[in-house]
């Protein structure tokens, strides 16, 4: 049995490749259903922060007229919704619905001195209608927070005395949004997106009544704010998070997932699950963002909706003091001109196949048979990883496959999410590594068979290898899509883990293969490298490579800082091709692959260029690991990168060939003693 093990290992490679192909075939229906899901929500909603607009208006000579004018401009520009917080005394004061007084103010009005105790806040309603609508709201809201409220009179105007200091009282959130502003905005044709916090004690009856009111007034989606979702603080005693989810389902209200939040509010994942992921992704333009160049902001909006499954654009605004102009300025003009001309953000969104309207959640297409096909995909993925093992340790091929199957079965029972992510990562590393190593093997084989290959044949073999290597690398894509085909990845509630490992492991493995696996004794090659004397050049090279690796890793993900002029270059590519290919693919890795293979047919040391060139292969796979990007768009990005990389690679190969000919002609004279 032991003697037959090498033969079984060798024979198993063919069957492992068959399992990989079967896994790819099984993934195709799953991929189709993901594409259907991504095409099910095509409405984009522009939402403006009403509180920010109110603050801007409060600095104007005629706040009401200014508010009316700006609301009309925003409506015309494509803003269809207003986000409204749970109101507070500060907001009501800026809206001129109430007046606020301190204990010192009241003492002056009564020609008295301020008392040593009783640091109360006093509220006067500016008219009878404001008092009728707001008095019950303020009284109930503050009493829910255990703050005593009593009646007070300001001349002929009714008011309230609040047993809290002014600085504290004005910040206390009340249960509802400003009802007067709510009605005004609805009359002007705006939809409302309420923002609910967990700062108010959870009362099922009150929340049920509030959500019923929202539903009756056209609200379809709620933003859950703060450290925890509404009801989280009392969840242990009242099971209030589940109750909140039930109330949302009862009133058919969805939620919002805010992009780039480091941590979602506590309890958010639970509510998302209990509401069957009736959620949309939101991209927020900060107070700083809206002051940027109009074209830059328009690019952000267009890319968010097209590239990242964003369906809500949230626009903030705030006043700022400009000392040079001697005035309080605001970004409203810049926002309007970003959405309309010259930014044309709304038009660009429409041109990308979307329409304006209240954002809708994806209608998930997830047939019951997917789980059976995914089981086949898992087997194919394990086979793919075993094929990588076979390259470096042939004797472990069959064993690694069997261990992988047992481990996958165990993870499926204990933690299926970890199985999905671990296997997707394993296949993502395996495919580009195998593809590149097979290309290296082919070059070495042809070098032995045809030592003096003509330039034409070198180029032909190079282009064939370029295509074959890309196809082999992309074999990982069906596995990644099928394994991570879950709405939680599209909403970025779950994320593909191990991006840094994906970006480093193929580079390391290709480098090890080139240095140690040369068809000779592996142990001897390793000893030769270990006995090699360390020189100053090696130390400097190691430092340079370390710095390059650090910079390379810093550019992975979304946190990397672009180089000067890179943002403009990206924008130019986006506007030219409609989809921006990755710079590291078509400007570096793909051209380096072509010129490296072309040179390696004559100079074996040129194969070391493949250590860097593999970046292009793994980058293509990594593109599809961004599940929040539509799969079709990722495919276009990868193919476009390959096409542009081919053009630049041919130019690089031409330059290399010219240098070769020059060296052949002039080197004898230069090296002559």
């Amino acid at each position: 049995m032991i003697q037959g093990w090498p033969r079984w290992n060798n024979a198993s490679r063919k069957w492992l490749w068959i399992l990989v192909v079967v896994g790819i075939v099984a993934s195709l229906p799953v991929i189709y259903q993901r594409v259907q899901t991504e095409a099910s929500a095509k409405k984009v909603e522009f939402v403006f922060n009403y509180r920010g607009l109110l603050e801007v208006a409060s600095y104007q000579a005629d706040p009401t007229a200014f508010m009316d004018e700006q609301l009309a401009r925003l409506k015309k520009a494509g803003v269809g919704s207003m986000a409204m917080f749970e109101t507070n005394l500060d907001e009501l004061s800026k809206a001129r619905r109430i007046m606020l007084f301190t204990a010192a103010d009241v003492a002056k009005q009564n020609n008295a001195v301020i008392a040593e105790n009783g640091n109360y806040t006093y509220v006067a309603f500016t008219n009878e209608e404001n008092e009728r609508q707001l008095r019950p709201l303020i009284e109930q809201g503050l009493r829910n927070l255990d703050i005593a409220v009593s009646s007070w009179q300001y001349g002929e105007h009714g008011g309230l005395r609040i047993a809290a200091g002014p600085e504290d009282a004005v910040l206390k959130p009340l249960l509802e949004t400003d009802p007067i502003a709510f009605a005004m905005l609805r009359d002007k044709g705006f939809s409302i997106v309420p923002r609910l916090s967990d700062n108010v004690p959870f009362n099922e009856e009150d929340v049920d009544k509030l959500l019923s009111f929202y539903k009756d007034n056209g609200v379809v989606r709620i933003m859950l704010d703060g450290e925890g979702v509404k009801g989280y603080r009392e969840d242990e005693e009242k099971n209030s998070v589940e109750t909140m989810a039930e109330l949302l389902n009862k009133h058919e209200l969805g939620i919002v997932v805010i992009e780039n939040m480091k941590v979602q509010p506590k309890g958010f994942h639970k509510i998302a699950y209990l509401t069957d992921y009736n959620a949309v992704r939101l991209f927020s333009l900060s107070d700083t963002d809206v002051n940027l160049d109009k074209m830059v902001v328009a690019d952000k909006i267009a890319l968010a909706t097209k590239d990242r499954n964003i369906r809500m654009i949230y626009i903030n605004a705030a006043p700022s003091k400009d000392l040079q102009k001697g005035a309080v300025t605001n970004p409203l003009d810049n926002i309007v001109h970003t959405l309309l001309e010259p930014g044309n953000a709304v038009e660009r969104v429409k041109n990308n196949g979307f329409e304006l309207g209240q954002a809708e959640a994806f209608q998930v297409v997830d047939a019951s048979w997917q789980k059976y096909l995914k089981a086949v995909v898992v087997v194919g993925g394990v086979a793919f990883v075993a094929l990588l093992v076979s390259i470096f340790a042939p004797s472990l091929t069959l064993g690694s496959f069997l261990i992988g199957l047992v481990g996958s079965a165990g993870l499926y029972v204990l933690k299926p999410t970890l199985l999905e992510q671990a296997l997707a990562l394993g296949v993502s590393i395996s495919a580009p590594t195998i593809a590149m190593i097979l290309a290296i093997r082919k070059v070495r084989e042809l070098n032995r068979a045809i030592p003096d290959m003509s330039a034409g044949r070198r180029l032909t073999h190079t282009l064939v290898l370029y295509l074959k290597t890309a196809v082999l690398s992309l074999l990982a894509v069906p596995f990644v899509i099928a394994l991570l085909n879950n709405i939680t990845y599209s909403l970025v509630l779950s994320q593909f883990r191990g991006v840094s490992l994906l970006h480093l492991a193929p580079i390391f493995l290709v480098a090890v293969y080139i240095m140690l696996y040369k068809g000779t004794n592996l142990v001897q090659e390793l000893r030769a490298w270990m006995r090699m004397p360390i020189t100053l050049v090696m130390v400097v090279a190691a430092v340079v490579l370390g710095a390059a690796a650090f910079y390379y890793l810093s550019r992975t993900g979304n946190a990397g800082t672009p180089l000067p002029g890179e943002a403009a270059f990206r924008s130019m590519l986006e506007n030219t091709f409609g989809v921006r290919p990755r710079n590291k693919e078509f400007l570096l890795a793909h051209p380096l692959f072509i010129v490296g293979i072309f040179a390696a047919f004559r100079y074996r040391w040129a194969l070391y260029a493949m250590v860097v060139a593999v970046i292009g292969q793994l980058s293509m796979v990594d593109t599809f690991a961004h599940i929040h990007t539509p799969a079709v768009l990722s495919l276009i990005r990868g193919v476009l990168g390959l096409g542009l990389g081919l053009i630049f690679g041919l130019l690089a190969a031409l330059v290399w060939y010219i240098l070769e000919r020059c060296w052949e002609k002039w080197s004898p004279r230069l090296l002559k003693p």
Side-chain angles (χ1 to χ4, degrees):
M1 179 177 177
I2 296 177
Q3 293 177 346
W5 188 256
R7 178 168 51 84
W8 293 344
N9 272 293
N10 291 333
S12 68
R13 292 196 191 102
K14 178 182 70 174
W15 293 103
L16 290 177
W17 277 113
I18 292 174
L19 289 176
V20 168
V21 173
V22 171
I24 292 173
V25 173
S27 72
L28 296 180
V30 182
I31 295 172
Y32 177 70
Q33 291 203 332
R34 174 183 160 182
V35 173
Q36 286 182 303
T37 298
E38 291 173 341
S40 65
K42 288 295 185 180
K43 290 183 179 179
V44 172
E45 183 174 1
F46 285 87
V47 185
F48 203 93
N49 183 346
Y50 167 74
R51 183 171 286 179
L53 182 61
L54 180 64
E55 188 172 357
V56 171
S58 69
Y59 283 85
Q60 309 304 313
D62 188 341
T64 302
F66 179 85
M67 175 70 76
D68 289 340
E69 178 189 356
Q70 298 306 318
L71 286 173
R73 293 180 71 201
L74 292 171
K75 186 69 176 176
K76 183 178 179 181
V79 175
S81 302
M82 286 283 158
M84 299 188 70
F85 291 84
E86 296 159 328
T87 193
N88 56 34
L89 297 180
D90 181 61
E91 181 180 291
L92 296 175
S93 174
K94 287 176 178 174
R96 305 298 180 95
R97 311 200 200 291
I98 63 173
M99 293 178 65
L100 294 172
F101 300 95
T102 65
D105 296 330
V106 174
K108 291 176 184 177
Q109 293 166 12
N110 296 330
N111 295 320
V113 295
I114 189 171
E116 293 182 0
N117 55 5
N119 183 29
Y120 292 163
T121 302
Y122 298 82
V123 170
F125 297 101
T126 55
N127 60 49
E128 291 182 1
E129 180 61 21
N130 288 343
E131 181 177 5
R132 185 184 69 81
Q133 294 201 48
L134 298 178
R135 176 185 281 270
L137 172 64
I138 296 173
E139 288 178 339
Q140 180 185 358
L142 293 178
R143 284 170 182 163
N144 285 343
L145 297 171
D146 296 325
I147 298 175
V149 182
S150 58
S151 292
W152 178 71
Q153 196 73 19
Y154 178 67
E156 297 180 354
H157 297 272
L160 296 170
R161 181 173 59 184
I162 301 168
E167 292 80 5
D168 185 41
V170 297
L171 300 177
K172 295 299 183 184
L174 306 176
L175 178 63
E176 302 176 22
T177 55
D178 176 357
I180 300 172
F182 189 102
M184 178 269 294
L185 293 171
R186 289 287 292 151
D187 289 342
K188 292 183 180 295
F190 289 97
S191 302
I192 306 299
V193 181
R195 302 188 63 159
L196 301 184
S197 72
D198 194 33
N199 296 327
V200 179
F202 186 85
N203 180 288
E204 182 178 350
E205 183 179 347
D206 289 342
V207 175
D208 187 17
K209 180 181 176 182
L210 179 64
L211 296 185
S212 177
F213 169 78
Y214 286 152
K215 176 63 177 178
D216 292 341
N217 283 273
V219 174
V220 298
R221 208 156 296 282
I222 303 289
M223 293 183 67
L224 300 170
D225 280 341
E227 294 184 1
V229 300
K230 194 163 192 66
Y232 179 79
R233 288 190 299 177
E234 299 157 283
D235 189 42
E236 291 186 6
E237 299 84 18
K238 300 181 179 180
N239 197 27
S240 45
V241 171
E242 185 172 338
T243 302
M244 182 66 190
E246 291 173 354
L247 291 175
L248 289 171
N249 289 333
K250 173 183 175 181
H251 299 290
E252 299 178 327
L253 296 173
I255 57 177
V256 173
V257 182
I258 302 176
E259 186 185 51
N260 290 333
M261 288 190 70
K262 292 183 178 179
V263 180
Q264 292 290 346
K266 296 174 182 176
F268 189 89
H269 287 76
K270 183 176 181 180
I271 277 191
Y273 172 75
L274 293 173
T275 56
D276 198 23
Y277 298 104
N278 180 8
V280 299
R281 298 191 71 219
L282 176 147
F283 172 61
S284 179
L285 290 168
S286 68
D287 298 340
T288 303
D289 290 333
V290 294
N291 284 295
L292 297 173
D293 180 82
K294 304 171 188 64
M295 303 307 296
V296 173
V297 183
D299 282 344
K300 288 177 177 286
I301 293 171
L303 287 172
T305 53
K306 184 180 68 174
D307 283 21
R308 305 198 300 277
N309 282 337
I310 297 292
R311 295 297 179 264
M312 296 182 81
I313 304 296
Y314 190 93
I315 305 173
N316 289 283
S320 59
K321 296 180 181 179
D322 191 323
L323 298 179
Q324 292 183 346
K325 294 181 179 179
V328 176
T329 61
N330 65 75
L332 293 175
D333 285 342
N334 201 60
I335 291 170
V336 170
H337 292 308
T338 296
L339 298 178
L340 299 178
E341 294 181 347
N344 294 314
V346 171
E347 182 181 348
R348 290 177 62 182
V349 168
K350 291 180 178 178
N351 290 340
N352 288 332
F354 300 100
E355 60 180 290
L356 299 190
Q358 288 182 288
E360 300 171 339
F362 288 113
Q363 300 300 311
V364 179
V365 183
D366 187 6
S368 58
W369 44 257
Q370 273 201 27
K371 59 183 178 182
Y372 303 110
L373 292 182
K374 283 187 176 182
V376 178
V377 172
V378 168
V379 175
V382 173
F384 220 146
V385 176
L387 285 169
L388 177 62
V389 173
S390 73
I391 288 176
F392 294 93
S395 61
L396 301 179
T397 303
L398 193 54
S400 64
F401 175 67
L402 296 175
I403 292 173
L405 290 179
V406 174
S408 297
L411 283 177
Y412 178 77
V413 174
L414 298 175
K415 202 164 185 180
T417 301
L418 181 58
L419 168 63
E420 295 170 352
Q421 297 194 7
L423 192 54
L425 176 62
V427 174
S428 298
I429 292 172
S430 299
T433 305
I434 292 172
M436 187 61 76
I437 289 175
L438 291 180
I440 293 168
R441 284 181 174 178
K442 187 64 176 179
V443 171
R444 287 174 173 172
E445 177 187 327
L446 289 173
N447 275 339
R448 289 191 294 269
I450 313 172
D452 297 317
M453 194 181 300
S454 66
R457 293 192 67 179
R458 288 163 61 191
L459 182 60
T460 301
H461 284 298
T462 297
L463 296 181
V464 171
L465 281 176
Y466 180 66
L467 180 60
K468 288 175 62 177
T469 304
V471 170
L472 284 174
S473 295
L474 290 173
L475 291 183
V477 171
F479 291 95
V480 172
I481 295 177
L483 289 168
L484 304 182
N485 183 42
N486 191 298
I487 190 61
T488 60
Y489 293 101
S490 297
L491 295 174
V492 198
L493 295 175
S494 300
Q495 294 193 58
F496 177 67
R497 303 295 179 183
V499 173
S500 296
L501 186 59
L502 169 58
H503 282 267
L504 281 180
I507 297 174
F508 173 76
L509 293 173
V510 169
V512 168
Y513 188 84
I514 291 174
M515 290 188 295
L516 301 181
Y517 289 78
K518 300 179 179 179
T520 57
N521 188 282
L522 178 62
V523 176
Q524 290 181 355
E525 290 288 348
L526 185 59
R527 286 176 178 174
W529 278 97
M530 294 180 66
R531 291 172 180 171
M532 187 177 297
I534 298 176
T535 64
L536 179 61
V537 174
M538 291 182 179
V539 174
V540 172
V543 172
V544 172
L545 289 174
F550 178 80
Y551 176 73
Y552 168 65
L553 284 179
S554 72
R555 295 298 305 269
T556 62
N558 298 319
T561 302
L563 296 171
E566 187 175 359
F569 181 63
R570 289 179 174 182
S571 179
M572 182 272 292
L573 290 173
E574 181 74 29
N575 295 329
T576 301
F577 298 106
V579 176
R580 180 180 63 82
R582 293 185 180 275
N583 294 350
K584 59 187 172 186
E585 292 179 20
F586 79 92
L587 289 179
L588 172 65
H590 291 334
L592 186 61
F593 179 97
I594 291 174
V595 72
I597 293 293
F598 181 79
F601 281 122
R602 188 160 188 177
Y603 307 98
R604 294 183 179 180
W605 53 263
L607 280 176
Y608 282 96
M610 299 303 102
V611 176
V612 178
V614 75
I615 291 174
Q617 307 302 313
L618 67 88
S619 177
M620 289 192 298
V621 177
D622 178 58
T623 296
F624 288 87
H626 295 74
I627 306 300
H628 58 277
T629 299
V632 174
L633 190 145
S634 295
L635 178 61
I636 295 172
R637 174 171 284 131
V639 172
L640 188 58
L642 283 169
L644 292 175
L646 174 62
I647 294 171
F648 285 108
L650 290 174
L651 292 174
L654 176 61
V655 172
W656 177 266
Y657 181 67
I658 292 172
L659 292 175
E660 265 187 13
R661 296 300 300 271
C662 291
W663 177 254
E664 290 174 358
K665 181 176 181 179
W666 297 102
S667 60
R669 300 181 184 181
L670 294 173
L671 299 176
K672 186 177 180 179

